[in-house]
Amino acid sequence: MTPGTGTDRAESSVRPDHGPRRARRRGELSAGRLAFLLNVPTLAGLVLVLAYPICFAGYLSFHEVSIRHLRAGEFPFAGLANFSRLFQDEVFWLSLRHTVVFVVASVVLELVIGLAIALTISDERVWLSRITRVLILIPWAVPPVVNGLLWSFIVNAQYGYLNRALHKLGLITDYINWLGHPRLATAAVIVAYVWRTTPFNILLYHAAIQGIPAQIYEAAAVDGASSWQSLWRLTLPLLRPVIAVTLILRTTFSFMVFDEILAITQGGPGNDTWVAAWYTYRMAFQPPFNIGLGAASAWVLAVIVGLVAIAYVKLVYRRVEYA
Amino acid sequence: MSTSSTAPTSLDRRRFVQGAAAAAAGGALWPRAIAAQGAPWAQRPPGNPQKLTFVVWQYGKIYEQISKQFEDDWGIKLNQIIEPNVEPQVAKLTTMFGAGDEVDVSLSPIQYLASYIQQGIAVPIDGLPGVDQYVKDFTPFARAAAQRDGKTWGLPYFSTAWIFIYNDELLGKAGFKGKPFRSYPELVEQARKAKKDGVAKYPILWIAGAGFEQLPGTWFNLTWNRGGVIFDKQLAPQLGAGSVARETLKWWQSTFKEELADPNSLNLRFIPACKAFNAGQHVFLGTLHHYYISLINDQAQSPIAGKGRVLGLPGDGKTIGYTMLYILTSATKNKEWAWKLQQYLGGRTKNGEYTQAQRLAQDAMLASGYQSVMESELLRKAWAKWADVPTVLDVFKKATNFADVVPAVAQPWYPRWSDAINVELTACLQGKISADLACDNMIAALATAKRG
């Protein structure tokens, strides 16, 4: 086997499917139409619970909306005033910068740690791997705000478990004020978030690894590939679609991080951990209750997330078949 | 969303007759209750709502207790919406209000009342039965907080005043037994001595964690004590060059620069600061609400229990106090019953007692917004197990209402400015920026805050 062969061969193996044409000739539903019809209830649900609020938020972003207006149901048209104010607000740009740092750090960590753990627990030779697979999902089951509270106890400077453990181990002499320094506070939130969300990646990677035919590895072994070569030349290329999916999902979710911020730092110290979702919440649901501005902020965030998702699909996602 | 009906039913009439008979019988047994019968708090409002809703933040089990009493007294179910802290409570109240839900009574921190009035959430309670009697009994803080524009906007939840606390044992080890500081130079002198003698690595623990009452509250308090204000009556900021506020900030920053103050202070709000102080590694803790001495001297929780002492602010002892309110919301569908509920939370219960206020004083050392409760023997007796009561009451005598030091607190834009000044104060105390720059930035932040 030559480098990259697996992926290249897989891409070239995608063949045109003439099934739908034949099905139409027989008066049957094509696979595409059937898929669409089966998805109609889901689409209807999504329109109700997602599309309507999103569109309504878009509508609000072009209006002057306070709590009073919301209750009365009357919103004076504001044109682009909310967006104009948003883009002039230094705190918004600061929040965006913090968000980008958070997203990049958390997604990279989730990817690397998730892959490493998935590869480890996929190896049947690793004893207790089955139990580990179950245990590893526990953080994913923890509600985000509970996770935030849990970590706020861990990193508390005065009575946190982390300082206590480090002190007992003799690694520190004075307790570290984890939430008092911008970088440490950001790191604390990232660690808390990654701890909760990495199991999601592990789950997907593990499932994908299990789906790779063993024969491919056997063939590689016959060709003399080492374990390292198998990983780089076979496993990772074949995991590319699922990596793309996790990148898209985790990036979009990371952009919306809120609970851990609320529970651990409240945006502090100062506003050093203000992220975009926190900014949106503060503008809309704390005085002066500028819901129009909050909606504009949410929409800008949504557009950014959408663009990032499109870029991922274009750059990372590839169809893979084990032909 | 809850629904309510105001139509009387046979059950209402039966319950009313039963209630009246029971009240009359009770009155025969208890003279005090006879007086209550004629008072508005003992009278049943018209109608029979299925449910009443209040939105508050958690404090012990006070809401479960008072709700049970309300339900037992009046047979009306309460929808208790209890959020873990102030910020989520504000979000809950406003989203419920914006969504058209029914909310009868809510808590309001002083800095949010202006927004609640502006947004049409809070309504005045003037003219409701018994309001005049309550207002007559308000303490000066409570009156100042509850009344603006000639209207009364709520009943007091609790009152507080800012103080210092010191560790008597460590102060003695530093060579100042029974002689806590009486001026700022003395504070620095005692802290330096304690540090030099190895009594404490950082003798002073400040309440300097971001928040409305914490970091800014300490600065406001120090400024006021030194003879300054944050805004004048015309809402012009008093933070310019040479101002007391600016000089106070320079002095405050110097306590960190000289490593007399624990840098962890910047992450400490009230309860975490008390827990840190309870570890017995700091001589002074300031400035914070008077009632936190109850945590420091709590035998069950504090390793330094019995060693905590209350100390009024230096010099003439000028300090700041305030009251929080229970407000009646415009989202109520039955104002009379909502008022009844509001009284259970912030006024008198059916028997004429200030049940909630007395319980808060006894269980948590909270001060009351009512003069009669503040002067009661019950309060003195309850507080004596935590602190020297005359000292604490003397602090209240010297306390000025928050809004006199920071008149802008009554403006809807104040919370946003509070966010901004937290950032500047933190950066200043961390040594990232000078006090001059911090004050200039705070003045500049006013324009942004006012834009909303």
Side-chain angles (χ1 to χ4, degrees):
Chain A
M1 180 174 282
T2 54
T5 305
T7 307
D8 296 339
R9 199 171 58 191
E11 283 170 1
S12 64
S13 70
V14 179
R15 288 179 287 274
D17 183 359
H18 300 293
R21 214 177 295 158
R22 280 204 300 275
R24 270 199 299 277
R25 279 201 298 271
R26 291 201 302 269
E28 294 171 0
L29 279 175
S30 69
R33 284 188 181 185
L34 181 63
F36 176 77
L37 285 175
L38 289 173
N39 276 298
V40 163
T42 307
L43 282 173
L46 285 174
V47 166
L48 279 175
V49 301
L50 283 179
Y52 172 73
I54 290 170
C55 293
F56 188 57
Y59 171 78
L60 294 180
S61 69
F62 292 102
H63 292 77
E64 185 189 336
V65 190
S66 64
I67 300 293
R68 177 193 283 270
H69 291 122
L70 209 57
R71 179 125 184 141
E74 295 167 359
F75 318 118
F77 184 67
L80 293 170
N82 286 322
F83 290 95
S84 170
R85 263 204 53 200
L86 188 71
F87 295 137
Q88 288 173 28
D89 191 346
E90 287 175 14
V91 181
F92 173 70
W93 291 109
L94 187 73
S95 304
L96 269 187
R97 279 206 297 279
H98 293 160
T99 307
V100 170
V101 170
F102 180 87
V103 169
V104 171
S106 62
V107 171
V108 168
L109 284 172
E110 285 171 30
L111 177 69
V112 173
I113 297 171
L115 257 178
I117 295 175
L119 288 167
T120 306
I121 64 172
S122 295
D123 189 339
E124 289 298 335
R125 289 170 301 180
V126 176
W127 77 287
L128 285 179
S129 63
R130 288 184 185 174
I131 297 170
T132 310
R133 282 173 215 163
V134 177
L135 291 177
I136 224 147
L137 286 175
I138 290 175
W140 182 246
V142 175
V145 77
V146 175
N147 181 50
L149 287 172
L150 181 76
W151 279 90
S152 72
F153 287 122
I154 292 172
V155 298
N156 185 286
Q158 283 72 43
Y159 48 85
Y161 303 114
L162 181 58
N163 270 341
R164 191 178 167 188
L166 293 174
H167 193 263
K168 288 244 175 197
L169 291 170
L171 297 173
I172 58 171
T173 49
D174 291 327
Y175 279 13
I176 297 169
N177 186 7
W178 299 104
L179 303 180
H181 300 282
R183 285 184 184 168
L184 291 179
T186 304
V189 176
I190 290 171
V191 169
Y193 184 81
V194 168
W195 184 81
R196 175 173 64 83
T197 54
T198 299
F200 175 78
N201 289 27
I202 297 170
L203 196 65
L204 293 188
Y205 296 150
H206 176 63
I209 290 167
Q210 298 297 305
I212 299 174
Q215 295 90 322
I216 293 179
Y217 290 105
E218 287 163 8
V222 169
D223 288 346
S226 66
S227 300
W228 190 246
Q229 284 172 318
S230 288
L231 172 66
W232 278 105
R233 306 277 168 80
L234 284 177
T235 309
L236 290 182
L238 291 173
L239 288 180
R240 197 167 168 164
V242 76
I243 289 173
V245 167
T246 53
L247 279 177
I248 293 166
L249 291 176
R250 294 313 320 154
T251 303
T252 51
F253 283 121
S254 299
F255 263 104
M256 295 180 288
V257 61
F258 176 79
D259 302 74
E260 277 83 2
I261 298 286
L262 173 74
I264 301 173
T265 66
Q266 296 258 320
N271 54 12
D272 289 319
T273 55
W274 273 56
V275 290
W278 180 254
Y279 176 92
T280 302
Y281 162 79
R282 291 299 296 257
M283 291 304 117
F285 299 113
Q286 298 290 312
F289 306 116
N290 196 334
I291 292 167
L293 183 65
S297 165
W299 256 88
V300 169
L301 190 60
V303 168
I304 293 171
V305 170
L307 292 174
V308 171
I310 290 168
Y312 270 143
V313 171
K314 295 267 184 201
L315 296 172
V316 186
Y317 190 80
R318 297 280 189 282
R319 181 187 287 269
V320 171
E321 289 181 14
Y322 310 111
Chain B
M1 184 171 154
S2 61
T3 56
S4 70
S5 164
T6 54
T9 62
S10 58
L11 181 64
D12 295 334
R13 285 192 291 275
R14 191 163 61 243
R15 190 176 283 151
F16 176 75
V17 171
Q18 287 170 346
L29 296 171
W30 190 24
R32 196 169 191 173
I34 296 172
Q37 288 306 302
W41 42 82
Q43 292 167 5
R44 187 180 179 89
N48 186 35
Q50 290 175 358
K51 191 165 58 176
L52 295 165
T53 299
F54 65 84
V55 185
V56 293
W57 59 82
Q58 184 70 280
Y59 194 89
K61 294 210 175 288
I62 63 171
Y63 294 111
E64 287 84 349
Q65 291 168 337
I66 203 75
S67 295
K68 183 178 184 310
Q69 187 171 345
F70 185 91
E71 290 173 5
D72 289 348
D73 284 352
W74 304 104
I76 307 287
K77 279 280 173 199
L78 295 183
N79 181 23
Q80 306 170 40
I81 297 178
I82 305 173
E83 292 295 315
N85 216 328
V86 177
E87 289 85 1
Q89 189 267 351
V90 172
K92 187 77 178 187
L93 169 69
T94 50
T95 46
M96 285 182 73
F97 185 84
D101 283 2
E102 185 180 341
V103 180
D104 299 290
V105 181
S106 174
L107 268 174
S108 170
I110 55 171
Q111 73 272 28
Y112 291 155
L113 183 60
S115 290
Y116 290 162
I117 293 171
Q118 186 191 47
Q119 298 296 326
I121 297 173
V123 290
I125 58 173
D126 300 284
L128 288 165
V131 168
D132 292 343
Q133 293 173 63
Y134 283 124
V135 172
K136 277 180 197 162
D137 198 16
F138 278 175
T139 61
F141 296 155
R143 193 169 295 116
Q147 294 190 316
R148 55 181 73 171
D149 304 327
K151 295 171 186 167
T152 310
W153 295 94
L155 294 180
Y157 167 25
F158 74 97
S159 292
T160 189
W162 269 271
I163 56 163
F164 274 100
I165 291 173
Y166 65 93
N167 182 322
D168 190 46
E169 185 184 54
L170 293 188
L171 188 70
K173 283 184 181 173
F176 301 100
K177 182 73 182 168
K179 293 177 185 169
F181 64 91
R182 296 289 171 198
S183 66
Y184 292 100
E186 271 186 32
L187 168 60
V188 171
E189 179 202 340
Q190 293 187 352
R192 280 180 184 152
K193 178 76 169 22
K195 189 176 178 75
K196 189 182 163 202
D197 292 354
V199 173
K201 184 177 182 186
Y202 299 111
I204 308 171
L205 191 65
W206 293 110
I207 305 293
F212 160 73
E213 304 160 74
Q214 293 86 6
L215 174 60
T218 298
W219 179 47
F220 296 165
N221 211 21
L222 295 173
T223 300
W224 172 245
N225 179 249
R226 289 162 165 251
V229 292
I230 304 301
F231 290 88
D232 66 14
K233 299 287 182 197
Q234 286 71 45
L235 303 181
Q238 301 298 299
L239 312 175
S243 64
V244 177
R246 190 177 285 221
E247 294 306 311
T248 299
L249 187 54
K250 285 178 186 171
W251 175 85
W252 196 16
Q253 189 189 42
S254 74
T255 65
F256 286 91
K257 279 183 181 167
E258 207 179 326
E259 296 189 345
L260 299 176
D262 191 333
N264 280 337
S265 303
L266 298 173
N267 196 38
L268 295 176
R269 295 176 25 140
F270 295 130
I271 292 176
C274 289
K275 288 183 177 174
F277 190 73
N278 285 351
Q281 294 173 345
H282 304 89
V283 186
F284 305 107
L285 173 60
T287 63
L288 80 168
H289 292 171
H290 74 282
Y291 54 86
Y292 285 106
I293 188 71
S294 68
L295 294 183
I296 286 159
N297 283 331
D298 179 0
Q299 294 287 350
Q301 295 185 48
S302 171
I304 62 162
K307 296 171 188 168
R309 300 279 185 277
V310 170
L311 181 64
L313 266 72
D316 58 8
K318 279 167 62 178
T319 186
I320 297 177
Y322 77 82
T323 295
M324 285 201 189
L325 299 177
Y326 289 105
I327 57 168
L328 195 65
T329 86
S330 65
T332 182
K333 290 186 177 169
N334 190 324
K335 196 171 180 182
E336 287 81 5
W337 272 107
W339 168 236
K340 181 63 72 184
L341 172 59
Q342 189 178 9
Q343 291 177 82
Y344 265 64
L345 296 169
R348 296 177 192 264
T349 48
K350 190 177 184 180
N351 58 7
E353 298 283 347
Y354 286 114
T355 304
Q356 178 95 315
Q358 289 170 350
R359 195 176 281 152
L360 290 172
Q362 282 181 300
D363 297 348
M365 206 184 160
L366 294 174
S368 174
Y370 295 104
Q371 204 62 46
S372 57
V373 178
M374 286 299 283
E375 291 167 357
S376 68
E377 196 53 36
L378 176 146
L379 180 142
R380 286 171 178 273
K381 197 176 167 188
W383 286 14
K385 61 178 176 272
W386 294 303
D388 179 52
V389 180
T391 303
V392 180
L393 292 178
D394 189 53
V395 168
F396 273 89
K397 280 182 193 157
K398 292 171 178 172
T400 304
N401 186 44
F402 193 102
D404 292 336
V405 182
V406 194
V409 74
Q411 299 300 312
W413 49 262
Y414 182 78
R416 185 130 200 235
W417 188 70
S418 181
D419 283 343
I421 68 167
N422 268 287
V423 173
E424 301 303 330
L425 289 171
T426 302
C428 175
L429 298 180
Q430 282 175 330
K432 288 180 183 171
I433 60 173
S434 68
D436 286 322
L437 181 58
C439 286
D440 289 343
N441 289 345
M442 285 188 250
I443 295 167
L446 271 169
T448 310
K450 285 177 181 174
R451 281 205 300 271

